[in-house]
Amino acid sequence: DVLSHFQDEVLVTEGPGRGVAAARNRAISSTRTRWVVCIDGDDLLQPSYFALAMRAVAGDSSLNLVYGNQEFFGESQWRWDVPEWSPQGAVASGPLPVMTLLRRELWAATPHGFDSVLPKGHEDYSLWLQLTRLPVRPYKIHAFVSLYRFRSNSKKRTREAANPEVPCLLRTLFPDLYPRRTLLDDHAQLLARGLSE
């Protein structure tokens, strides 16, 4: 067993199967570290990622969010030059890579962390929208430090097809972030179309 080689360096927790969001929140709440990063089992991080991140933090202790560019592999190979973080960008374009480093206290300051109420595959987006209401001090590493396995049948892409109402639902959960006309249109669509299973 790989984990047995790390002994006290790795904490393994098990809980009821309530989905990715609940598992991430449970794992983060169990930690004592100041920084956390989430990574799915089929994704990768470059060995230099943490060193580059902590070098930036050493130069500016107020930083509470560190991320870098992302490379896709698997069924599709391409590179994502991740935009600079801004609340406006999160509202308009969506989340940063899930493998972003967060200060644990920043995650703890959100009302829900990774929101398990939303359909699976959309919990990340809710986290970033919650962060728009908090004092985020970001830093971008201008290197490709995370590698995301692209699958055409991933949970996220399957859910996007199965739950087309989710963008409307997300916006209605954060009404202070979007124009009233957009929210009215979202409500009309939700009432007309309802929620898929």
Side-chain angles (χ1 to χ4, degrees):
D1 184 49
V2 174
L3 293 178
S4 64
H5 295 289
F6 295 93
Q7 298 180 356
D8 295 337
E9 296 179 48
V10 174
L11 172 66
V12 179
T13 66
E14 295 183 10
R18 294 178 180 167
V20 173
R24 288 175 181 168
N25 288 334
R26 177 185 173 88
I28 295 172
S29 65
S30 300
T31 65
R32 296 187 300 271
T33 182
R34 286 179 291 176
W35 289 87
V36 295
V37 64
C38 296
I39 180 170
D40 293 335
D42 56 352
D43 298 331
L44 302 167
L45 296 175
Q46 293 288 4
S48 60
Y49 184 19
F50 296 141
L52 291 170
M54 292 304 102
R55 186 182 304 162
V57 172
D60 184 352
S61 61
S62 71
L63 297 177
N64 56 13
L65 183 149
V66 181
Y67 64 99
N69 292 325
Q70 183 166 278
E71 189 166 354
F72 289 75
F73 69 103
E75 294 179 26
S76 180
Q77 293 86 39
W78 57 286
R79 288 185 156 195
W80 179 25
D81 186 359
V82 179
E84 300 285 343
W85 161 267
S86 72
Q88 297 79 12
V91 168
S93 304
L96 295 175
V98 68
M99 291 167 276
T100 294
L101 272 160
L102 296 171
R103 277 199 187 270
R104 188 182 183 281
E105 62 194 32
L106 186 62
W107 166 85
T110 66
H112 308 292
F114 292 95
D115 197 342
S116 58
V117 173
L118 293 167
K120 296 174 184 177
H122 300 280
E123 56 278 332
D124 300 350
Y125 206 151
S126 176
L127 175 71
W128 303 117
L129 291 178
Q130 292 174 75
L131 291 181
T132 64
R133 298 166 170 166
L134 297 174
V136 174
R137 291 277 300 159
Y139 178 83
K140 178 183 176 181
I141 299 169
H142 292 276
F144 290 87
V145 292
S146 61
L147 294 93
Y148 180 90
R149 184 184 296 276
F150 183 93
R151 297 178 186 272
S152 57
N153 63 344
S154 69
K155 285 183 180 179
K156 180 178 185 299
R157 284 167 185 82
T158 302
R159 287 289 180 176
E160 284 175 347
N163 301 100
E165 74 279 4
V166 167
C168 297
L169 183 60
L170 271 169
R171 288 190 290 268
T172 60
L173 291 174
F174 296 88
D176 56 309
L177 302 179
Y178 294 94
R180 290 180 183 177
R181 180 71 242 181
T182 299
L183 295 171
L184 287 171
D185 290 342
D186 288 337
H187 280 285
Q189 289 187 49
L190 289 170
L191 288 170
R193 194 163 53 192
L195 299 176
S196 53
E197 295 296 326

